[in-house]
Amino acid sequence: MKNLIFNVISAAAFSTVLALAVSPALAEGLADAYQDKFHIGTAISPGSLFDKEVMQLVNAEFNSVTAETNMKLRHLAASQRTYDFNWSDRFVAQGLANKQFVVGHTLIWHRSLPAWFFQQPDGARPSRAQLLASMRQHIYTLVGRYRGQVNGWDVVNEAFNFDGAFRSSPWLDIIGEDYIEHAFAFAHQADPEAELYYNDYGLVNPQKQEAVVALIKRMQKKGIPVHAVGIQGHYSLSYPDLQTLDNTIARFAKLGVKVMISELDVSVLPFPGPEERGEDAEIDSKRAQQLDPYPEQLPDEVMSQFTQRYVDLFCVFLKHHAAISRVTFWGVSDARSWRNDWPLTDRTDYPLLFDRELKPKPVHQELIKLASSYQKVCPLTGNNKDE
Ligand code: G3I
């Protein structure tokens, strides 16, 4: 009997010890694992916000949220001169309620623009002064509404081409190159406490990088507040080269701004040639299959490459954790990722950490482990040492 009681007690004690040892790890989400490194964020799509299961996962795994689509001008003010804040109010409120770092995306972009914004009531194109006034009005309206609630804004998004020239847009064409500086100044006036970001893709490209470095230096010289550069991070199993990414992060960090990986995803699909893209492209069925090779599920071998690729990328991010303030995935699960529809529509891609059933992929645990083991696990060659 004594033995039985002892056995029962020791079994209970053992399972308590086991539970203590195991449960924190089991309960740990990504953001918990990285809390002393950087925020781990996700983009919230229009539909995700109303999907209870998705939002439960978001709140367990991420401590930052970005509006994927519905704070863009066309979505807020589609066809009339009044704004519909239903979605964005709910998005901001849920972020605040869950103590997440809330990111507004994006104030000034060349896409998602409603036609009415660039027409006077009589249909004429606005002058520089008129467009500057309506740009200020837009920024004051949105940033002012969420003053003290949205922590950071992607103020200007994707303003340069790959050759480093300013990208053509109604903003550039009507206002001129200083539209960027005005946008940052207006955002700062509307919420002096908010962090303000320049956000772009392809920043590993030397000419584009040069243009953004020059922009940041120009703004710093003029005293215009710019707090961080968002390196979007729409990547693949082979792009970009890790050393180039490492150098890119180091270069921006040296400017004295924070660095954010703002829209991370890793496509596993082949990238079509230029002639295969666009509505008129003619692709026969054999080629169509090659371009969409995993319509049912990802083969184990590709899943392993995918896991390793994220681990390699996070080794670079962790090396620069002192400069990086946030790593945000561009979506929660593969089901709603924009990568299923770009650069070709209707494919089945697998770019995120959670599968179509919202189950974590093996990479999820690997990244959690990496947060505490990276100094042992990540290669420490050349200038690849922890900073
Ligand atoms: O919500 C409507 C739906 O009602 C309608 O039936 C459907 C028909 O096409 O469209 C839905 O809206 C789509 C929206 O995503 C919501 O899923 C828009 O057409 C589509 O244009 C929009 O695409 C977004 C795109 O930006 C343009 O705003 C993508 O989800 C979003 O991932 C993408 O994000 C951009 C970043 O802002 C900037 N960096 C690049 C990144 C990828 O393009």
Side-chain angles (χ1 to χ4, degrees):
M1 185 67 181
K2 236 179 171 182
N3 261 351
L4 183 65
I5 291 171
F6 177 76
N7 280 343
V8 169
I9 292 172
S10 61
F14 178 71
S15 57
T16 309
V17 169
L18 197 68
L20 281 174
V22 170
S23 60
L26 282 180
E28 192 178 46
L30 272 172
D32 301 323
Y34 283 83
Q35 62 182 338
D36 63 342
K37 300 293 186 302
F38 32 69
H39 280 116
I40 298 283
T42 186
I44 307 293
S45 73
S48 290
L49 192 59
F50 302 98
D51 187 324
K52 228 172 143 189
E53 225 188 316
V54 172
M55 291 314 289
Q56 263 170 10
L57 183 61
V58 167
N59 295 332
E61 296 284 344
F62 301 97
N63 56 9
S64 176
V65 285
T66 302
E68 183 173 355
T69 305
N70 282 13
M71 280 179 146
K72 293 168 185 167
L73 193 41
R74 187 165 67 83
H75 295 269
L76 283 171
S79 59
Q80 73 279 58
R81 285 162 199 272
T82 54
Y83 283 58
D84 175 355
F85 290 112
N86 275 323
W87 192 95
S88 54
D89 281 354
R90 181 164 169 157
F91 164 76
V92 173
Q94 101 80 36
L96 286 175
N98 291 286
K99 300 188 171 51
Q100 288 150 340
F101 187 93
V102 180
V103 181
H105 171 88
T106 171
L107 297 173
I108 302 297
W109 196 25
H110 63 284
R111 291 180 55 197
S112 293
L113 300 172
W116 67 261
F117 201 87
F118 300 93
Q119 278 167 5
Q120 294 303 299
D122 64 0
R125 179 177 141 130
S127 65
R128 167 180 156 93
Q130 283 166 330
L131 189 56
L132 271 173
S134 40
M135 179 206 255
R136 184 179 55 209
Q137 180 65 37
H138 168 59
I139 292 177
Y140 278 20
T141 303
L142 194 51
V143 178
R145 184 177 185 90
Y146 301 118
R147 183 178 171 142
Q149 300 184 330
V150 166
N151 302 92
W153 286 95
D154 287 333
V155 179
V156 176
N157 204 35
E158 303 171 4
F160 296 98
N161 297 325
F162 276 116
D163 64 1
F166 283 91
R167 181 199 289 276
S168 174
S169 71
W171 308 110
L172 179 77
D173 302 345
I174 300 173
I175 298 174
E177 292 173 4
D178 63 346
Y179 83 87
I180 300 180
E181 295 165 21
H182 282 289
F184 276 84
F186 294 151
H188 185 61
Q189 288 155 18
D191 185 353
E193 300 300 318
E195 290 186 354
L196 305 180
Y197 314 135
Y198 177 78
N199 190 49
D200 212 331
Y201 63 88
L203 290 178
V204 291
N205 174 288
Q207 286 155 305
K208 202 167 183 178
Q209 189 179 114
E210 209 52 55
V212 176
V213 167
L215 170 77
I216 303 297
K217 285 186 175 168
R218 220 161 39 238
M219 290 208 284
Q220 287 174 330
K221 214 167 155 194
K222 292 184 180 176
I224 296 164
V226 50
H227 303 110
V229 170
I231 295 174
Q232 289 187 3
H234 295 299
Y235 295 153
S236 74
L237 292 175
S238 57
Y239 168 86
D241 163 71
L242 294 171
Q243 190 59 59
T244 314
L245 179 63
D246 186 335
N247 297 343
T248 302
I249 296 171
R251 179 121 192 259
F252 287 119
K254 239 175 113 184
L255 295 174
V257 288
K258 291 183 189 172
V259 179
M260 306 166 321
I261 310 301
S262 54
E263 306 185 9
L264 185 60
D265 47 29
V266 172
S267 172
V268 299
L269 299 184
F271 205 81
E275 72 292 348
E276 294 175 316
R277 298 163 58 177
E279 277 172 19
D280 299 333
E282 282 174 24
I283 299 176
D284 64 30
S285 62
K286 185 166 168 234
R287 181 64 184 144
Q289 263 180 17
Q290 285 171 351
L291 288 168
D292 189 15
Y294 318 119
E296 303 302 335
Q297 65 173 43
L298 199 59
D300 289 349
E301 191 198 321
V302 189
M303 183 69 98
S304 302
Q305 290 172 32
F306 172 83
T307 304
Q308 188 57 46
R309 180 66 175 153
Y310 262 115
V311 167
D312 292 345
L313 288 167
F314 267 73
C315 279
V316 178
F317 303 156
L318 281 159
K319 176 192 161 191
H320 291 286
H321 70 81
I324 292 181
S325 56
R326 174 166 61 87
V327 174
T328 286
F329 293 86
W330 205 236
V332 182
S333 84
D334 294 340
R336 286 198 175 103
S337 167
W338 76 293
R339 304 289 313 231
N340 295 308
D341 288 301
W342 187 91
L344 297 175
T345 53
D346 290 326
R347 294 196 295 173
T348 306
D349 207 341
Y350 300 81
L352 295 165
L353 305 192
F354 297 90
D355 70 16
R356 286 173 165 74
E357 275 75 52
L358 296 180
K359 301 234 164 49
K361 299 178 189 174
V363 65
H364 174 259
Q365 270 312 303
E366 291 305 317
L367 292 185
I368 287 181
K369 279 193 278 173
L370 193 69
S372 53
S373 66
Y374 71 100
Q375 280 161 315
K376 281 188 221 128
V377 172
C378 296
L380 285 173
T381 52
N383 69 351
N384 204 19
K385 293 198 198 75
D386 198 2
E387 278 176 351

